[in-house]
Amino acid sequence: MNPDELFLLVPQSILLGAAVLLMLMEPFSRQAGRRRLRMVAVAAVAVAAYALRLQWGLGPRSIGGGMIRVDGFSLFFQWLFLVITGLSAVLAADFNQREGIDRGEYYALLLTACSGMSLMAMSADLILTFIGIEILSLSTYILAGFKRRDIASGESSLKYFLLGSFATAILLYGIALVYGAAGSTQYQAIRAAAAAGEVPALLLPGLGLLLVGLGFKIGLVPFHSWIPDVYQGAPSPVTAFMSVGPKAAAIAALLRLLVEALPGLAPDWTRLLWLMAVLTMTLGNAAALVQSNVKRMLAYSAIAQAGYILVGVVANTREGFTAILFYLVVYTVMNLMAFGVVLSLSGPGDRRVHLEDYAGLARRAPFVAAALGVALLALAGIPLTGGFMGKFFLFGSAVKAGFVGLAVIAVLNSVLSVYYYFRLLVYMYMKDAPQGGAESISRPVGAILAIGVFLILWLGVGPDRFLALAGHSILGLK
Amino acid sequence: METLFFYLFGGIALLAAMSVVAQKKIFYSALSLIICLGSIAVLFLALEAPFIAAVQVIVYAGAVMVLFLFVIMLLDPFSAAAARDKRKRLTFLAVALGLVALAVLFTLMRAHDPATPPLAGEPPGGTDPVGRLGRLLFTRYLIPFEATSILILVAIMGVVVLARKRS
């Protein structure tokens, strides 16, 4: 480990140092000093983002004998995770104070989750990928159950923990089989083993089990059953974080694994993922149609969105991967906006999350309703929003790669999804409010919503710069 | 001799593992698990990995199992044992899927040539197995080793969060 390599790990070290600092500050903080805890977390994220900026021009490097890869791909994802973590910390502020869970551990766990996600995106070795997944999972299990007095939060945490442990065991089994087939856990060695003559027999079931483990984290059908209950029961800011962070991290790990370690099995995994993409989109959208709880509806919508992203993986081309990165940025913005509104309006006890609670919102809080409206339009993929552009690139890449049937199914699904996104819009704009109290949101959440609206429209009208950035990031993946 | 040992203790491990699942009382399940872990430790010995065998006994058969038993005692297993699983249909499905998995594994074993897998380089340092393991941990696997410490830190935080008093 030379100083040069350590420099590349500085962003992660900052995050973890801040997490430890938060744990030390927590016992000495009085109720009034809670703001400082949050500031430490946000400052750590900002400094880490700056440290990452310094690494951008260095070109691809690897640390620890090829264990960790620092290239455009991992830098892109690290940056995305930092944004997600910072925004989650800011979004959680008022909510946590209201619910009495504004504690240092909350922000410390967000930071460790962020570093776990970063490890997943950087790792080029199954062992490190596994540890990254576990750091992320443990952090989110605890965050989901952070509201200890709330029975739904406890249920959410326990369900996530039990099913997640099971998925982890399956993932480990897959890693063991791949190790048995290739004699190594390093991606390059696995690739070499699959390329030399015939594919070892153990590699195929290994691939299958790895897909189960990662599919669980992404929330792909048929490994999605935990998502609705866990998303609904967890505190809303945690749900916001879970719906974007771990999903993006698992997709990053999946991409690196499939493209760098298992390109030799591409015909097999494209066939498997094709089926999973179709099931995920269709089932997610169909189930979202009948939900009356907004958090649960957004949970099913998140399942469906993962299906759209999978379309780009199935395409298995540079265009497909670029589209995935682009869509993940859009998805992060629109989902965090939607959940930002949900957690601001959910009221004491996180209870007001039903469709009826949104009736007449446009009259009570025009700005909030408009912001949520833009997010929903983007989620539905209406033109002029970033959501449309993202889907256009994703499905377009599938068509170019020869998966016309998959693209048609994806477009039909998008049409289906318009129904439930618009139903919420109808409630906000066309129904009368049962009780006419004015809603108020905190200033930071308002600022995030405003920036989000701007970003979604910008990405929808002029996506070129972001697309170029995504295309440049993908070059590291090989 | 080695083959005999393998089949003997491999068989015991399998039977004990089945017993873990089949026992009606959770306490007996835990005891079966100890037998299973112990025979796997013997298998490690036969593979000339005495250190791993010792760790297996100390950590799994020792520490982890004591923890299991503590939890079981605290949660009163004798009332829990009465609650039987009523979903028989799912049991049939599980058995059927298990047989499918067995068939797949069997075909794989037939197809897999144990001589082929290339091993990832000779580990550095001497003939002493513990020394080799230590060197590997602090050279090739340094980053996962350090990352594991983060994992443990997160687990500690989790305990603090879940076990704290109401404030």
Side-chain angles (χ1 to χ4, degrees):
Chain A
M1 237 329 92
N2 53 40
D4 214 34
E5 294 187 331
L6 283 179
F7 168 68
L8 296 173
L9 290 176
V10 162
Q12 302 312 313
S13 316
I14 292 170
L15 291 182
L16 293 167
V20 173
L21 184 68
L22 281 170
M23 294 291 289
L24 293 175
M25 282 170 70
E26 163 60 34
F28 301 107
S29 297
R30 300 230 165 271
Q31 209 56 42
R34 296 277 175 211
R35 246 175 74 92
R36 248 182 310 165
L37 298 175
R38 206 154 50 235
M39 296 308 286
V40 168
V42 174
V45 167
V47 176
Y50 178 71
L52 274 182
R53 178 70 191 80
L54 297 178
Q55 295 177 9
W56 179 254
L58 288 179
R61 305 267 182 107
S62 63
I63 319 174
M67 186 80 69
I68 281 186
R69 298 275 297 277
V70 180
D71 48 22
F73 183 76
S74 64
L75 286 175
F76 177 90
F77 273 101
Q78 285 189 70
W79 168 79
L80 181 66
F81 298 148
L82 284 175
V83 172
I84 291 172
T85 309
L87 289 182
S88 300
V90 175
L91 284 178
D94 266 35
F95 181 93
N96 285 1
Q97 274 169 357
R98 193 174 73 207
E99 300 296 321
I101 53 172
D102 199 25
R103 299 178 60 90
E105 292 95 353
Y106 186 94
Y107 303 103
L109 285 168
L110 271 182
L111 294 180
T112 52
C114 181
S115 92
M117 294 192 289
S118 305
L119 278 181
M120 286 165 74
M122 291 193 285
S123 159
D125 191 301
L126 283 173
I127 289 182
L128 194 63
T129 309
F130 170 72
I131 295 173
I133 292 177
E134 279 308 279
I135 293 175
L136 167 66
S137 302
L138 270 189
S139 307
T140 36
Y141 298 153
I142 301 160
L143 282 173
F146 210 87
K147 232 167 82 185
R148 277 198 322 150
R149 266 172 288 178
D150 186 47
I151 196 157
S153 177
E155 180 197 340
S156 154
S157 178
L158 194 65
K159 271 188 180 159
Y160 194 16
F161 173 64
L162 287 178
L163 291 174
S165 312
F166 213 72
T168 297
I170 293 174
L171 182 80
L172 260 185
Y173 197 178
I175 292 177
L177 288 183
V178 170
Y179 179 72
S184 171
T185 51
Q186 286 211 340
Y187 287 2
Q188 291 305 322
I190 296 167
R191 181 194 196 126
E198 62 193 282
V199 173
L202 279 178
L203 211 51
L204 262 180
L207 164 73
L209 296 180
L210 288 176
L211 283 184
V212 174
L214 285 171
F216 176 87
K217 290 289 165 224
I218 305 175
L220 301 176
V221 177
F223 316 111
H224 68 290
S225 51
W226 58 279
I227 286 191
D229 287 353
V230 172
Y231 279 22
Q232 189 186 345
S236 292
V238 178
T239 312
F241 174 75
M242 280 199 292
S243 73
V244 287
K247 215 174 262 266
I251 286 167
L254 181 75
L255 271 181
R256 213 187 258 287
L257 177 74
L258 293 181
V259 175
E260 294 200 341
L262 300 164
L265 297 182
D268 300 295
W269 54 254
T270 33
R271 222 172 298 145
L272 270 176
L273 291 178
W274 188 95
L275 188 65
M276 280 161 96
V278 170
L279 285 175
T280 307
M281 288 186 286
T282 314
L283 210 135
N285 280 323
L289 291 178
V290 295
Q291 304 303 325
S292 61
N293 179 317
V294 173
K295 260 170 105 178
R296 208 171 170 82
M297 184 199 93
L298 285 174
Y300 278 111
S301 131
I303 296 176
Q305 299 281 343
Y308 301 143
I309 293 171
L310 211 55
V311 171
V313 187
V314 173
N316 191 19
T317 54
R318 293 226 162 275
E319 276 169 21
F321 303 149
T322 309
I324 291 175
L325 263 57
F326 180 81
Y327 197 71
L328 277 175
V329 173
V330 182
Y331 173 73
T332 301
V333 175
M334 53 199 187
N335 236 33
L336 280 182
M337 279 174 71
F339 275 110
V341 173
V342 169
L343 68 89
S344 298
L345 301 184
S346 63
D350 211 3
R351 297 247 176 271
R352 294 184 51 217
V353 288
H354 287 273
L355 274 176
E356 287 77 34
D357 298 321
Y358 287 76
L361 186 69
R363 217 155 305 153
R364 286 180 286 149
F367 169 67
V368 180
L372 181 56
V374 170
L376 290 173
L377 290 176
L379 280 165
I382 303 299
L384 288 182
T385 63
F388 171 77
M389 276 300 170
K391 278 184 184 168
F392 177 75
F393 295 138
L394 275 175
F395 304 163
S397 73
V399 170
K400 274 185 201 158
F403 294 98
V404 180
L406 182 64
V408 170
I409 296 172
V411 170
L412 288 178
N413 260 295
S414 298
V415 175
L416 187 65
S417 76
V418 168
Y419 171 77
Y420 59 86
Y421 291 127
F422 272 55
R423 193 166 53 153
L424 186 52
L425 274 178
V426 167
Y427 266 88
M428 288 196 303
Y429 279 92
M430 297 183 180
K431 299 239 174 181
D432 285 327
Q435 77 275 15
E439 303 282 353
S440 70
I441 56 164
S442 71
R443 220 172 288 161
V445 176
I448 289 177
L449 290 180
I451 296 170
V453 169
F454 171 72
L455 268 178
I456 283 183
L457 295 178
W458 185 27
L459 289 168
V461 179
D464 305 337
R465 272 188 73 175
F466 269 87
L467 203 63
L469 181 76
H472 187 71
S473 308
I474 218 74
L475 291 177
L477 207 62
K478 59 176 182 289
Chain B
M1 190 64 191
E2 236 172 64
T3 333
L4 183 74
F5 256 110
F6 175 77
Y7 281 110
L8 182 62
F9 285 97
I12 294 176
L14 268 183
L15 283 177
M18 277 190 239
S19 155
V20 172
V21 187
Q23 290 292 346
K24 290 217 167 61
K25 286 189 176 158
I26 192 166
F27 198 81
Y28 293 154
S29 289
L31 292 178
S32 310
L33 190 57
I34 295 183
I35 298 174
C36 176
L37 293 171
S39 21
I40 289 173
V42 176
L43 290 182
F44 276 126
L45 264 185
L47 286 171
E48 292 174 32
F51 180 71
I52 307 283
V55 168
Q56 173 87 7
V57 170
I58 294 169
V59 175
Y60 283 92
V64 173
M65 283 316 300
V66 168
L67 194 68
F68 276 14
L69 290 178
F70 258 122
V71 173
I72 290 171
M73 305 276 236
L74 286 174
L75 292 181
D76 184 19
F78 303 105
S79 59
R84 297 259 293 278
D85 195 1
K86 292 195 185 73
R87 287 182 291 180
K88 286 284 175 208
R89 258 178 308 167
L90 278 182
T91 320
F92 280 123
L93 192 65
V95 170
L97 285 177
L99 286 176
V100 170
L102 193 69
V104 170
L105 278 178
F106 193 71
T107 18
L108 277 175
M109 263 170 55
R110 297 293 294 267
H112 181 64
D113 182 5
T116 42
L119 282 176
E122 195 61 11
T127 50
D128 170 28
V130 182
R132 274 177 152 185
L133 195 72
R135 279 201 187 81
L136 266 184
L137 265 187
F138 285 97
T139 53
R140 194 187 296 166
Y141 294 103
L142 177 65
I143 294 174
F145 181 78
E146 296 292 344
T148 310
S149 64
I150 306 170
L151 184 62
I152 294 170
L153 179 73
V154 174
I156 295 171
M157 269 194 248
V159 173
V160 171
V161 169
L162 296 178
R164 66 161 188 260
K165 286 195 183 126
R166 289 181 179 191
S167 50

